[in-house]
Amino acid sequence: MATATHVLTPEESEAHPPQEAVVVRFAGDSGDGMQLTGGQFTLSTALAGNDLATFPDFPAEIRAPQGTTFGVSAFQINFGSCAIDTAGDQPDVLIAMNPAALKVNVKALREGGLIIADEGEFTARNLAKAGYDQNPLEDGSLAKWQLVHFNISQLTLDAVKPFGLGNKEALRCKNMWTLGLALWMFDRDREPIVDWLKSKFAKAPELAEANIAALNAGHAYGETTEMGGVHKHHLDAAPAEPGLYRTVTGAEALSIGLVAGAQLAGLDMFFGSYPITPASPLLHHLSRLKEFGITTFQAEDEIAAVCAAIGASYAGQLGVTSSSGPGIALKTEAIGLAIMTELPLIVVNSQRGGPSTGLPTKTEQSDLYQAVYGRNADAPLPVIAARSPSDAFECAIEACRIATRYMTPVMLLTDGYIANAAEPWKVPDTSKFAPFPVSFFDKAPAEGEGVMPYARNDELARPWIKPGTPALEHRIGGIEKAPGSGNIDYSPEAHAEMTRIRAAKVDGVADSIPDQDVCLGEAGAKLAIVGWGSTYGPIHQAVRRARGKGLDVAHVHIRHIWPMPKNMAVLLKGFEHILVPEMNTGQLKTLLRDQFLVDAKSLPKVSGQPFTIAEIEAAISEALK
């Protein structure tokens, strides 16, 4: 065999730098198993040591007609040997399992990117369902991308034929064939997927073996077949601190954080919920953690769920409830009851597009007004927002701390992106978390004195009295009450005083939260990009790129939405310009203007999709012209 070696010059090396990150999107019909395929590819990527971020994108309808654009399900993963903060602006590779998946997703693919299509699904019927007049695999309309197409459906049928499956069952293995090809493309180990399949189908070993055969066939196809434009890529592991890592979704991190928060408070936890997208996974995860003193209750409706959680808090447990915007609206009166009775309660709002049913499977940040202002009368409560899937863990602990320390409901905001997306998480050393044990009041009053359930400590929190405690029988409820005694009192003086105290207690939460920091850049920069929630990743990367170009820009990201950190006014007024990217029409911008009298400008996005880095980077350039 003749061989030749060419040593790269520095100029050639700089002209073609090693690829540090790749964005891959799997797309198909909602029955094609794209979320499962993406999840298992994520597992293999994590085991390879790459940093990663994912974005599952579900169809909005429960079961749209098969083969239509309404039923397309996609899973995007950005992974590499560098720090990854977002799921990627544009895919480098699109794997399309049918014409509808191609039509919905191809415009997002970067120019020159790779399309891998299952030509077996590009039948006249499926093309018509997707709205194609001609077959895009043959008419030249995809010329600006690399295109590879072969009959994945038939190749899958051939691979699983020895197992005697029916045609429908056999075609369900297509996602494993596709996963096998993707594992070959990016030099991934198949063994963890094989182990997972054996475990998943332990009671039906023939299905496990058929799926394993499809997985191996897809891998072998990449190994042995010449496919123009498809090459094997190897991305080195990303640098990481030593420690134990796992991939985690926002819902998983939130459930673990709530358990940790209850443990740090020394309480059992009651979780009352009613299924709603995208909040339902929290109920699924917590139901598996009963050994940690967790009771889960799927109620008949949203109102029953929150009222049951309030009852649990009254009885001495940590009450938690969750929903999305429409369900939070139904819970609102009961949340007001928790504010009036001053009981600890965690309310998780996994936001989605609205109003009403809106965009049930798409992400948005449009419940900020609802969280801060959305109750009748003056009814403030602390509001916290998680910025990423892993950050939901610490936010859950913080919500538990505030709720039990100040005897108040707390609203914790996530969104559809955070709830479903995954990223690597360094499992924390739990010994480093400071406990905040609850002390129930159990001291009987002196003879002749009454119980004072609304007496106040230095932080204006009332005592938490377990019902049934001897000599401490007391009554609480939703009608206005006298300061101290809690007896019903309609007088103007009592209502004014209790309204003031409830607000002052929540304002006092600011005394126990850290000052607002600048995530990237310097205080007093010419431009501050101020964000909250899941906009963290694209903002951070856009600011990093802009600073690399010499622009004077900083990134400020807010966790404590209400009350805000005590240094916020001084910090914001030190910037010449303030730009607020958020997935709504400008709600945080309005809050900042109202509270701090700063000229904040809005960068809104309400498409149901996260911000891209490029969108924010362009806005930075425009703001600094």
Side-chain angles (χ1 to χ4, degrees):
M1 179 187 298
T3 61
T5 301
H6 173 67
V7 179
L8 285 177
T9 66
E11 291 76 16
E12 288 174 321
S13 179
E14 290 175 8
H16 302 283
Q19 200 165 20
E20 289 191 312
V22 175
V23 181
V24 177
R25 183 180 296 184
F26 301 91
D29 195 76
S30 58
D32 284 337
M34 292 296 94
Q35 304 304 322
L36 187 144
T37 303
Q40 292 307 305
F41 188 78
T42 299
L43 170 64
S44 69
T45 299
L47 291 172
N50 297 131
D51 197 7
L52 63 94
T54 71
F55 177 48
D57 192 10
F58 305 96
E61 298 181 45
I62 293 173
R63 193 67 180 95
Q66 190 170 6
T68 65
T69 56
F70 305 108
V72 172
S73 178
F75 187 101
Q76 182 163 306
I77 176 170
N78 183 12
F79 60 99
S81 55
C82 55
I84 303 292
D85 290 317
T86 78
D89 282 13
Q90 294 179 296
D92 300 295
V93 179
L94 171 62
I95 299 175
M97 304 300 288
N98 64 8
L102 178 67
K103 186 163 193 175
V104 169
N105 292 281
V106 71
K107 291 180 181 177
L109 189 66
R110 70 166 176 82
E111 189 167 345
L114 173 64
I115 299 168
I116 298 176
D118 178 7
E119 68 181 31
E121 289 294 316
F122 280 69
T123 62
R125 187 164 182 262
N126 285 345
L127 288 167
K129 283 184 179 180
Y132 280 116
D133 296 325
Q134 294 179 304
N135 190 338
L137 305 184
E138 301 170 351
D139 66 4
S141 61
L142 305 177
K144 66 178 180 179
W145 298 288
Q146 301 176 66
L147 175 62
V148 175
H149 54 92
F150 39 87
N151 197 331
I152 295 176
S153 298
Q154 186 59 51
L155 289 165
T156 302
L157 292 173
D158 294 342
V160 303
K161 188 175 181 179
F163 301 95
L165 302 181
N167 201 62
K168 188 174 181 180
E169 277 189 316
L171 284 174
R172 285 178 179 162
C173 300
K174 275 201 309 182
N175 61 336
M176 286 298 107
W177 195 100
T178 306
L179 178 59
L181 178 64
L183 294 178
W184 170 79
M185 285 175 62
F186 297 102
D187 198 20
R188 299 281 180 261
D189 187 5
R190 282 167 286 163
E191 197 59 36
I193 313 301
V194 171
D195 293 341
W196 173 79
L197 286 168
K198 289 179 178 178
S199 173
K200 179 177 175 64
F201 295 109
K203 294 181 180 178
E206 70 282 359
L207 292 180
E209 292 304 320
N211 278 281
I212 292 168
L215 180 81
N216 291 334
H219 191 276
Y221 192 85
E223 190 79 54
T224 60
T225 308
E226 292 290 334
M227 295 184 295
V230 181
H231 308 286
K232 179 178 279 194
H233 301 274
H234 177 81
L235 282 80
D236 293 331
E241 295 178 9
L244 176 64
Y245 287 82
R246 58 163 291 185
T247 57
V248 69
T249 66
E252 289 171 327
L254 186 54
S255 64
I256 299 167
L258 288 169
V259 172
Q263 297 278 311
L264 292 168
L267 298 172
D268 287 340
M269 188 179 92
F270 178 93
F271 182 75
S273 187
Y274 179 77
I276 182 172
T277 301
S280 301
L282 187 56
L283 176 60
H284 303 161
H285 294 304
L286 285 171
S287 67
R288 304 185 186 108
L289 300 174
K290 292 181 173 62
E291 67 269 28
F292 296 105
I294 310 301
T295 300
T296 52
F297 171 58
Q298 181 176 318
E300 67 268 26
D301 56 45
E302 297 281 11
I303 298 170
V306 64
C307 287
I310 292 171
S313 289
Y314 177 57
Q317 293 195 5
L318 179 60
V320 183
T321 191
S322 76
S323 191
S324 189
I328 298 296
L330 292 170
K331 296 178 190 287
T332 297
E333 183 182 359
I335 295 171
L337 174 64
I339 291 171
M340 175 64 86
T341 55
E342 299 186 49
L343 286 166
L345 176 72
I346 311 297
V347 181
V348 179
N349 183 350
S350 296
Q351 301 165 93
R352 71 189 204 185
S356 187
T357 308
L359 308 174
T361 61
K362 308 303 179 183
T363 194
E364 206 163 272
Q365 293 180 298
S366 52
D367 294 346
L368 188 67
Y369 287 160
Q370 183 184 44
V372 176
Y373 301 120
R375 290 159 296 282
N376 67 297
D378 288 298
L381 55 71
V383 179
I384 300 171
R387 73 186 191 186
S388 69
S390 59
D391 186 54
F393 172 80
E394 291 191 15
C395 287
I397 294 175
E398 176 69 346
C400 295
R401 181 192 72 84
I402 292 173
T404 55
R405 178 169 173 172
Y406 293 91
M407 292 293 286
T408 178
V410 176
M411 189 167 290
L412 174 53
L413 297 174
T414 70
D415 59 39
Y417 175 67
I418 289 176
N420 294 309
E423 66 181 4
W425 178 49
K426 184 181 180 184
V427 179
D429 180 355
T430 54
S431 66
K432 294 182 179 179
F433 287 92
F436 39 88
V438 166
S439 296
F440 291 98
F441 186 78
D442 58 3
K443 185 178 180 181
E447 190 173 346
E449 295 182 4
V451 179
M452 301 289 282
Y454 284 87
R456 305 286 171 177
N457 64 15
D458 292 342
E459 295 176 322
L460 301 179
R462 76 170 186 87
W464 196 355
I465 306 171
K466 279 189 180 182
T469 305
L472 289 177
E473 292 82 1
H474 66 290
R475 178 180 61 197
I476 60 176
I479 298 178
E480 188 60 280
K481 42 196 67 28
S485 70
N487 295 329
I488 292 174
D489 191 339
Y490 292 117
S491 69
E493 295 80 12
H495 179 58
E497 178 66 4
M498 290 296 276
T499 299
R500 182 196 67 79
I501 289 173
R502 288 189 291 264
K505 180 178 72 170
V506 172
D507 289 343
V509 171
D511 294 331
S512 69
I513 64 177
D515 281 349
Q516 180 63 49
D517 64 347
V518 179
C519 305
L520 189 60
E522 306 296 332
K526 188 172 182 180
L527 173 65
I529 308 299
V530 180
W532 67 281
S534 64
T535 56
Y536 175 85
I539 292 176
H540 206 66
Q541 288 287 5
V543 170
R544 179 179 286 127
R545 291 181 184 180
R547 289 180 58 80
K549 298 174 183 176
L551 299 180
D552 187 14
V553 59
H555 177 196
V556 175
H557 215 78
I558 304 172
R559 170 183 283 182
H560 293 90
I561 302 291
W562 192 274
M564 289 197 185
K566 297 176 77 172
N567 69 323
M568 186 65 83
V570 173
L571 178 65
L572 292 181
K573 289 178 179 178
F575 297 108
E576 187 174 338
H577 301 286
I578 296 172
L579 183 66
V580 185
E582 48 186 332
M583 291 184 290
N584 57 51
T585 56
Q587 296 183 21
L588 179 63
K589 174 266 299 179
T590 303
L591 189 62
L592 295 178
R593 285 184 169 195
D594 170 57
Q595 293 297 304
F596 307 115
L597 301 179
V598 293
D599 187 21
K601 298 291 196 305
S602 180
L603 178 62
K605 184 174 184 178
V606 285
S607 66
Q609 298 293 318
F611 274 101
T612 65
I613 301 168
E615 287 170 335
I616 298 175
E617 197 175 4
I620 291 172
S621 298
E622 182 66 26
L624 289 175
K625 273 186 179 178

